[in-house]
């Protein structure tokens, strides 16, 4: 018998605990078993607390398809795009879209990353206090639109997307655990959600229309927009609605989670002087005063370990759902067709028996990894056929950003670690730091006209 998590209320079940303190609630579950039942109103879901069982689910995406409250709500906004579509559509979509993130394109993309990190930081003033998430989102949206979309956005559009993302992620998270009829109520959260939805989709549609007006096939077949608007899909050209869903999905997923990883990594490094000292010793030797670039990546080992530890502590995709498509077994337990499964990288990556003292920021876990730790215990990008296609892109951007920023700027450490706002992703709450140039670092000098 699969145990029921304690604390369920009549009718609401565990919804109150998940909404009030989702991360704290998840961390209480593993001691109760490898699989634990939770009730979300009338729906019962199984939370997987064991890495081996999670691997079984993620590697069999036909039997354990994308579904449940996470994807039911996401499909309202993104349709059946690559990140939300069922197994029956996934293989064709992934094969078709994979070239936009092929490893051979990373060297070119990293030049865009380097350029846009510089473009954003050159607007900073010595002694200015910045909202870290706002600045990292500026970097990620500029990188995404110029690399995989082959175009750019105005500062006003970047600001609109940045604000809109906050409203959408907050709205999607609330909708996961509330009855659908409440969606239509004119609450402030619903109003902000629908307004942000319309604004972001209007901006993305403008990018698509702009690309189509370009001569000689628009941005070209190698960009995401070029692939989406091509007419050689197996089932014929994508509809305008499908193109918009796919483009919006890539923009939102690639922007928010990467920006959060960059913000958390910067905060954690600055709050730990011994880690920051090792980081700066590495960047001083490797970068020699230049912005981080593709050629530097193999030698940025400390920087990469900081990003990995950040992704362990604060995975962007902290919770997701699957649905069993047939009767099956997980471990010793029977799972009926239609059962909802909850997978939380945050839960697994904070198990103290796998990561001792899991709240301690320790990049050494990755420079000297524990050989007994199962691979499935680190899944910030999921695993199997549904693993994030842009994982290498995201990690590369985060490494280049952290190395460049900490090498060139001083940051005031926040007095305490910000709380994580658990909505659709995990963002740091109210992370502000004062920035000061480090001895007029060469990478910050404005290019000569």
């Amino acid at each position: 018998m699969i145990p029921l998590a304690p604390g369920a209320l009549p009718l609401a079940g565990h919804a109150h605990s998940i909404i009030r303190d989702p991360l704290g609630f998840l961390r209480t579950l593993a001691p109760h078993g490898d699989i634990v039942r939770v009730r979300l109103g009338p729906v019962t879901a199984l939370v997987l607390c064991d890495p081996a069982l999670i691997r079984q689910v993620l590697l069999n995406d036909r039997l354990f398809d994308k579904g449940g409250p996470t994807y039911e709500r996401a499909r309202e906004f993104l349709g059946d795009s690559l990140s939300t579509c069922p197994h029956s559509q996934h293989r064709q979509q992934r094969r078709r879209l994979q070239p936009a993130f092929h490893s051979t394109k990373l060297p070119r993309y990293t030049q865009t990353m380097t350029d846009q990190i510089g473009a954003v930081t050159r607007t900073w003033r010595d002694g200015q206090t910045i909202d870290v998430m706002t600045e990292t989102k500026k970097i990620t949206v500029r990188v995404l639109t110029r690399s995989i979309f082959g175009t750019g956005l105005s500062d006003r559009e970047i600001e609109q997307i940045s604000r809109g993302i906050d409203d959408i992620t907050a709205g999607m998270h609330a909708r996961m655990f509330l009855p659908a009829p409440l969606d239509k109520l004119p609450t402030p959260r619903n109003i902000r959600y629908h307004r942000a939805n319309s604004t972001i989709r209007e901006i993305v549609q403008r990018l698509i229309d702009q690309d189509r007006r370009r001569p000689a096939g628009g941005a070209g077949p190698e960009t995401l927009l070029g692939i989406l608007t091509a007419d050689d899909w197996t089932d014929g050209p994508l509809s305008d609605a499908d193109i918009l869903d796919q483009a919006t999905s890539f923009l939102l997923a690639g922007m928010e989670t990467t920006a959060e990883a960059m913000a958390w990594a910067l905060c954690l490094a600055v709050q730990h002087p011994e880690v920051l000292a090792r980081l700066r010793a590495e960047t001083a030797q490797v970068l020699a005063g230049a912005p981080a670039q593709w050629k530097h990546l193999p030698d940025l080992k400390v920087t990469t370990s900081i990003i990995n530890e950040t992704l362990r502590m604060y995975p962007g995709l902290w919770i997701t759902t699957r649905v069993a498509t047939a009767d099956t077994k997980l471990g010793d337990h029977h799972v009926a067709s239609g059962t909802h499964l909850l997978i939380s990288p945050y839960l697994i990556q904070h198990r103290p028996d796998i990561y001792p003292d899991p709240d301690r920021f320790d990049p050494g876990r990755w420079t000297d990894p524990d050989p007994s730790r199962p691979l499935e215990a680190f899944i910030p990008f999921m695993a199997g056929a549904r693993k994030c296609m842009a994982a290498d892109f995201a990690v590369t951007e985060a490494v280049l950003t952290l190395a460049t920023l900490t090498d060139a700027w001083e940051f005031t450490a926040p007095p305490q670690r910000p709380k994580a706002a658990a909505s659709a992703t995990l963002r740091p709450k109210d992370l502000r730091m004062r920035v000061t140039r480090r001895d007029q670092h060469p990478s910050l000098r404005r290019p000569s006209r």
Side-chain angles (χ1 to χ4, degrees):
M1 179 68 175
I2 298 175
L4 178 70
L9 298 177
L11 299 179
H14 298 94
H16 68 294
S17 297
I18 295 179
I19 292 174
R20 185 182 70 248
D21 182 16
L23 302 182
F25 175 71
L26 288 170
R27 294 177 66 163
T28 66
L29 299 181
H32 297 287
D34 291 341
I35 306 178
V36 180
R37 286 184 298 136
V38 298
R39 289 201 296 108
L40 306 174
V43 176
T44 296
L46 304 182
V47 181
L48 306 185
C49 303
D50 178 68
L53 297 183
I54 289 177
R55 175 180 173 82
Q56 180 181 341
V57 168
L58 295 181
L59 293 189
N60 193 341
D61 60 318
R62 182 190 298 273
L63 181 57
F64 301 102
D65 205 353
K66 282 198 171 183
T70 302
Y71 294 102
E72 289 168 4
R73 292 312 203 169
R75 283 170 185 149
E76 295 173 2
F77 178 50
L78 300 173
D80 281 331
S81 56
L82 181 67
S83 60
T84 56
C85 70
H87 174 273
S88 59
Q89 301 176 31
H90 176 256
R91 294 299 190 271
Q92 182 204 356
Q93 289 194 28
R94 188 175 179 103
R95 281 194 299 269
R96 197 68 182 82
L97 297 169
Q98 184 74 57
F101 293 95
H102 195 275
S103 59
T104 57
K105 292 187 171 60
L106 262 181
R108 190 181 76 223
Y109 288 159
T110 56
Q111 185 57 56
T112 301
M113 295 172 187
T114 300
D115 292 345
Q116 299 312 314
I117 294 166
V120 171
T121 55
R122 278 194 296 271
T123 68
W124 294 357
R125 301 184 309 276
D126 201 41
Q128 174 185 359
T129 297
I130 62 169
D131 182 306
V132 179
M133 270 300 298
T134 296
E135 299 303 304
T136 56
K137 281 195 286 187
K138 286 180 185 177
I139 293 171
T140 56
V141 73
R142 290 172 72 105
V143 167
L144 278 169
T145 54
R146 283 166 171 78
S147 54
I148 65 170
F149 285 1
T151 186
L153 293 173
S154 68
D155 290 343
R156 180 173 179 272
E157 288 171 323
I158 291 173
E159 184 179 349
Q160 288 177 312
I161 289 177
S162 179
R163 289 199 311 266
I165 288 271
D166 297 346
D167 293 334
I168 286 172
T169 54
M172 287 179 63
H173 176 68
R175 287 160 176 257
M176 281 178 60
F177 307 110
L178 295 174
L182 298 182
D183 296 349
K184 301 185 184 303
L185 295 178
T187 64
R189 176 174 287 173
N190 282 342
I191 290 171
R192 290 194 299 269
Y193 174 85
H194 290 296
R195 183 184 296 135
N197 185 346
S198 298
T199 298
I200 290 176
R201 292 174 76 86
E202 286 171 5
I203 292 172
V204 175
Q205 185 62 59
R206 185 191 66 75
L207 294 179
I208 296 168
D209 294 340
Q210 177 180 299
D211 179 71
R212 283 172 162 162
R213 288 194 297 268
R214 294 181 183 180
E222 292 189 343
T223 67
L224 181 69
L225 289 186
I227 293 171
L228 290 174
T229 56
D231 59 5
D232 57 349
W233 286 71
T234 302
D235 297 328
L238 296 182
S239 68
D240 289 347
D242 287 339
I243 293 171
L244 180 58
D245 286 341
Q246 293 281 11
T248 303
S249 176
F250 273 95
L251 178 62
L252 298 191
M255 172 187 171
E256 182 71 359
T257 54
T258 307
E260 288 170 357
M262 288 154 50
W264 278 118
L266 181 60
C267 173
L268 292 167
V270 170
Q271 284 189 320
H272 294 78
E274 72 288 354
V275 173
L276 184 61
R278 291 198 301 273
L279 171 61
R280 283 185 168 152
E282 176 177 88
T283 58
Q285 178 180 2
V286 175
L287 305 184
Q293 302 173 49
W294 170 258
K295 64 182 180 181
H296 299 132
L297 286 170
D299 297 317
L300 292 174
K301 295 181 173 59
V302 173
T303 316
T304 302
S305 71
I306 291 172
I307 296 301
N308 282 335
E309 179 68 347
T310 299
L311 291 171
R312 179 194 69 80
M313 296 183 71
Y314 299 105
L317 183 64
W318 61 279
I319 191 168
T320 188
T321 53
R322 296 291 191 270
V323 173
T325 60
D327 291 351
T328 187
K329 289 192 72 175
L330 274 176
D332 296 327
H333 303 287
H334 173 76
V335 175
S337 177
T339 298
H340 290 210
L341 308 172
L342 262 170
I343 297 172
S344 172
Y346 181 89
L347 184 161
I348 293 298
Q349 293 169 191
H350 283 79
R351 282 188 52 157
D353 56 329
I354 299 175
Y355 295 98
D357 195 3
D359 290 323
R360 178 169 54 91
F361 176 62
D362 181 12
R365 301 181 205 267
W366 308 99
T367 54
D368 186 21
D370 180 355
S372 66
R373 185 170 62 223
L375 292 176
E376 302 81 14
F378 184 63
I379 50 170
F381 299 102
M382 294 286 105
R386 304 302 293 252
K387 181 178 179 180
C388 175
M389 191 165 62
D392 290 342
F393 183 100
V395 170
T396 297
E397 184 179 359
V399 168
L400 294 180
T401 302
L402 180 63
T404 299
L405 296 191
T406 53
D407 189 58
W409 294 87
E410 296 285 356
F411 296 84
T412 58
Q416 57 188 14
R417 188 183 300 175
K419 291 185 178 180
S423 55
T425 55
L426 284 184
R427 66 172 52 221
K429 285 184 179 178
D430 302 321
L431 176 55
R432 297 176 181 273
M433 291 194 274
R434 189 174 68 253
V435 296
T436 308
R437 297 174 188 265
R438 297 188 70 209
D439 301 323
Q440 296 298 312
H441 196 278
S443 69
L444 298 174
R445 295 173 186 159
R446 293 181 183 273
S448 58
R449 293 182 180 273

